[in-house]
Amino acid sequence: MNAYITAAGAYLPGPPVGNDEIAARLGGVDERGDRLRRRILAANGIAKRHYALDAQGRTTELNEELAANALHAALDERGLGAADLDMLATATTQGDLLVPGFASMVHGRLGGGPMQVLSASGVCASSLAALDAAVAKVRLGDRRRAAVVGSELSSRWLRGSRFGGKPGNGGGDADAHFLRWMLSDGAGAVLVEAQPRPDRPSLRVDWVRTVSLAHANQVCMRAGMGEGTAPAAGRTWQDMGSAAAAEQAGMMLLRQDTSALGALAEAGLREFQSLAREGLIDLGKLDHVLCHYSTNAFRDIVFDQLASAGAQIDTGRWFSNLETRGNTGAASIFIALEECWRTGRFEPGQTVLLAVPESGRFTFGFAHLTCVDAEAETPAPVPVSRPVQVPPVVQRIAPQSASVQDRLAAVWQEFEQRLDQVPVMQRLAEGTATIEDYRRLLFNLRQQVADGARWISRAASNFSVELFDLRSAAIGHAAEEHRDFMMIERDYAACGGSIEDIRAGEKNIGSEALSAYMFHTASQPDPIGLLGAMFIIEGLGTGKASDWAARFKTTLGLRDDQVGFLAYHGEADDDHFAKLQAILASPRIDAAAADAIVKTAKIVARLYALQLEELDNV
């Protein structure tokens, strides 16, 4: 099952505020502060923004109201109501209240029926973290229709009263005043569904990736702490005895370490290049790049760095509405997407990259979308844990004229039915599996899994330079998978098994056949057919592993540390499968490649099932 963005909405409070009006709206600016304001505005390129403040600087709306208004705009554009949602994921830097979570408050404001809610916290990249969660639930078939909203009401942090409210404090804290002239208010929302909408093109979500580099960077954008770049016990706003004392100490100012912004741009470029090496991004084939950034200077650094690396991007493909909508933090990327959506910027077949750097402690979010027409789009299914009821005649027909996704779906359906007939899987489904069943499963899987990174590495070495991106993706995948068998060993030992025994074990006859076939196929020139093997193996992870882990835990009363291998792949393989989907949807999969992929998938499905049928038969 795929996930599609089927609608977008935005809400910007009040009339647009020009540069000459900001000081009067926010207040507390002296001559020095005004010079700083003009210098920052000249650099960031923002000409207009919106505030949920009246002319006297009084708050006119809540953050939850901004979010609800953007959600209503998206729902109205789709012809739906709040009652049609079964999930709401929100993102904001700071809600109106400390407790409860922002998603709960937005749900209460929005209305509708019972639904799952998620509050993604952070700064700008929290919006893509919320999108990632919604997309994952829709792909799994666990949720039918989800709404995602990013919303910010930054102006409450920017009013002159927070800076002393009088001349003399107009420019004395450059890190705090930098953000005064950067941030503004607004909300953007999208709807995520399992099918494209019938009346206009939708955006298929090919993958979403977020990564934190906090392990290597100090705090950059912060509020609620004392001097320096690292919090310390007794020196946060909650340790000050009262909110007033924290305010007096300057802890409630929103600050930005401007000296770190160059490093942020360079780190973001490295993450972009990493995605390209993995085969997730082809810069030459991207039709649109929507990037959130706080200043045009950031954009210029990226352009210069790409050009120096020999990968200059056509700036006509780059879209930002920073100049007219302002920097709205977590809302910015959805506000930009909504404008493109509303103005018909995307056409079927075009690709879209969303990119969001977050300065908080260096986090980056990326999402790759493909614009699709409902009539032409055939969703590439993510295998799900529940059986798919399809008439037998349909299961066996996969015409050569069908898309590779359709043909692989037919292979998966037949494979899933075969798995249901495997004795150990039948006992697991019935709730009669024993701890010995589980240990036998781990024991047998370990022998074959130990070979996994080896055949992937062999495949990488046999890809020609024309398929360099597949070679890079294979190398990266091998690096991620080469310790998998150790996870199985730990689970086995945690369940009472012997490490020595499992390491001395032999492959059963199904595992022998599967490993032999994988090594043989990986040894061929340009073994693109192995994408079919990955469809089956990663499909097991994303569609089966979590369910198996949960069933073994419930049936046998196991702990998390006893089902680590299955639980890990239930999460990690979502990302792997998304990468695979992007490759399968690429133009490089011609008719010959599709035939090889489907044939390999059929063989691997049969041999994998044989491996489970022949537990301990060596």
Side-chain angles (χ1 to χ4, degrees):
M1 190 180 297
N2 266 323
Y4 300 84
I5 292 175
T6 59
Y11 179 75
L12 296 160
V17 176
N19 289 348
D20 294 337
E21 305 170 70
I22 306 177
R25 186 67 60 95
L26 298 179
V29 181
D30 62 7
E31 184 178 347
R32 180 186 177 192
D34 198 49
R35 288 197 300 271
L36 180 63
R37 175 186 68 85
R38 290 196 300 270
R39 187 165 66 248
I40 292 171
L41 289 172
N44 67 28
I46 301 173
K48 297 178 181 179
R49 77 282 294 145
H50 293 255
Y51 296 124
L53 299 175
D54 62 17
Q56 288 72 45
R58 296 173 299 202
T59 302
T60 57
E61 297 177 76
L62 292 169
N63 197 3
E64 68 183 59
E65 292 180 283
L66 305 186
N69 285 333
L71 288 163
H72 280 304
L75 288 165
D76 289 347
E77 196 271 326
R78 180 72 174 91
L80 300 172
D84 295 303
L85 300 175
D86 52 12
M87 181 177 179
L88 170 65
T90 66
T92 191
T93 304
Q94 179 61 60
D96 304 293
L97 307 177
L98 296 178
V99 176
F102 188 58
S104 294
M105 299 306 297
V106 175
H107 182 203
R109 177 73 58 174
L110 181 68
M115 65 180 71
Q116 177 183 352
V117 297
L118 170 73
S119 300
S121 61
V123 198
C124 308
S126 59
S127 52
L128 290 191
L131 177 66
D132 193 17
V135 166
K137 298 297 279 186
V138 170
R139 276 181 174 160
L140 285 171
D142 200 29
R143 290 290 178 258
R144 178 176 51 89
R145 183 179 292 116
V148 186
V149 62
S151 183
E152 300 284 15
L153 210 166
S154 303
S155 58
R156 292 181 298 203
W157 293 81
L158 312 177
R159 288 180 295 200
S161 57
R162 287 198 178 273
F163 296 79
K166 59 183 184 298
N169 286 320
D173 193 331
D175 279 0
H177 281 267
F178 175 79
L179 292 176
R180 282 197 85 189
W181 315 120
M182 286 285 189
L183 303 178
S184 55
D185 305 336
V190 296
L191 300 186
V192 180
E193 300 183 68
Q195 300 291 335
R197 62 187 290 175
D199 57 331
R200 63 166 292 176
S202 300
L203 295 171
R204 186 182 67 229
V205 183
D206 301 316
W207 51 260
V208 183
R209 292 285 293 272
T210 61
V211 59
S212 165
L213 303 183
H215 67 294
N217 294 279
Q218 293 295 321
V219 174
C220 179
M221 181 177 175
R222 72 270 186 198
M225 57 185 273
E227 295 298 322
T229 57
R235 293 178 53 228
T236 71
W237 72 275
Q238 295 183 79
D239 299 308
M240 298 303 292
S242 70
E247 186 93 36
Q248 186 66 29
M251 290 185 176
M252 304 313 289
L253 292 176
L254 196 59
R255 290 183 167 87
Q256 175 85 71
D257 179 3
T258 56
S259 66
L261 293 182
L264 178 72
E266 293 176 1
L269 183 61
R270 288 194 297 272
E271 292 304 314
F272 178 93
Q273 292 169 332
S274 175
L275 294 174
R277 285 194 300 272
E278 292 179 39
L280 292 178
I281 295 174
D282 184 340
L283 189 59
K285 296 179 180 177
L286 277 176
D287 296 296
H288 305 278
V289 178
L290 278 61
C291 184
H292 160 69
Y293 48 87
S294 58
T295 170
N296 283 339
F298 187 101
R299 176 202 61 193
D300 296 340
I301 291 173
V302 172
F303 284 167
D304 291 344
Q305 291 282 348
L306 285 172
S308 65
Q312 188 166 357
I313 189 170
D314 176 5
T315 56
R317 290 182 279 160
W318 185 283
F319 178 84
S320 169
N321 53 12
L322 175 71
E323 291 85 354
T324 56
R325 300 295 188 267
N327 178 1
T328 52
S332 289
I333 196 66
F334 292 153
I335 290 175
L337 185 65
E338 184 275 339
E339 182 170 333
C340 293
W341 177 275
R342 174 169 41 82
T343 57
R345 186 178 178 90
F346 307 137
E347 297 179 0
Q350 293 184 336
T351 57
V352 183
L353 179 71
L354 308 181
V356 181
E358 174 183 302
S359 62
R361 196 163 179 173
F362 283 32
T363 299
F364 301 91
F366 298 91
H368 191 279
L369 317 173
T370 299
C371 185
V372 298
D373 184 81
E375 294 183 0
E377 172 70 358
T378 302
V382 174
V384 295
S385 57
R386 60 180 63 85
V388 180
Q389 299 301 322
V390 182
V393 66
V394 176
Q395 296 170 14
R396 288 170 172 77
I397 295 176
Q400 299 299 302
S401 59
S403 71
V404 67
Q405 291 95 340
D406 271 348
R407 296 168 65 189
L408 288 172
V411 174
W412 177 265
Q413 290 162 3
E414 189 166 336
F415 174 51
E416 194 169 42
Q417 290 189 335
R418 188 180 295 275
L419 283 180
D420 290 341
Q421 298 169 14
V422 173
V424 68
M425 294 294 109
Q426 285 182 328
R427 292 193 292 275
L428 180 62
E430 295 164 356
T432 59
T434 66
I435 189 66
E436 182 57 27
D437 283 327
Y438 182 53
R439 281 197 295 260
R440 290 172 63 225
L441 181 64
L442 294 176
F443 186 94
N444 284 262
L445 284 176
R446 185 267 178 205
Q447 316 313 327
Q448 175 263 316
V449 169
D451 284 343
R454 294 172 56 214
W455 65 255
I456 296 172
S457 298
R458 181 174 296 185
S461 69
N462 283 302
F463 278 117
S464 63
V465 69
E466 288 76 14
L467 297 177
F468 188 81
D469 57 334
L470 294 185
R471 180 195 299 178
S472 299
I475 291 171
H477 192 65
E480 293 175 355
E481 302 281 324
H482 78 291
R483 291 192 178 93
D484 273 10
F485 72 93
M486 296 181 184
M487 297 173 63
I488 297 179
E489 292 176 354
R490 288 195 294 270
D491 291 351
Y492 186 74
C495 291
S498 163
I499 289 288
E500 292 75 16
D501 288 347
I502 196 171
R503 288 179 178 173
E506 296 182 49
K507 297 186 185 77
N508 69 42
I509 61 174
S511 298
E512 289 281 12
L514 178 58
S515 284
Y517 176 75
M518 299 301 275
F519 278 113
H520 168 75
T521 306
S523 301
Q524 306 306 306
D526 288 334
I528 199 167
L530 283 177
L531 294 175
M534 301 307 296
F535 178 86
I536 296 299
I537 295 170
E538 301 299 342
L540 283 167
T542 196
K544 292 291 187 181
S546 288
D547 182 57
W548 288 350
R551 287 178 182 271
F552 276 122
K553 282 184 68 175
T554 300
T555 302
L556 304 177
L558 299 180
R559 306 182 305 271
D560 288 345
D561 67 317
Q562 294 172 305
V563 294
F565 173 77
L566 292 175
Y568 166 77
H569 280 279
E571 297 179 3
D573 286 0
D574 279 354
D575 184 45
H576 298 161
F577 203 88
K579 295 178 187 178
L580 177 62
Q581 283 183 300
I583 295 171
L584 291 174
S586 70
R588 73 169 62 253
I589 307 302
D590 57 18
D595 289 345
I597 290 166
V598 173
K599 181 177 180 180
T600 305
K602 288 179 179 179
I603 296 170
V604 170
R606 182 64 190 94
L607 295 180
Y608 203 103
L610 182 65
Q611 173 181 236
L612 299 182
E613 292 165 358
E614 299 291 344
L615 295 185
D616 302 330
N617 184 4
V618 298

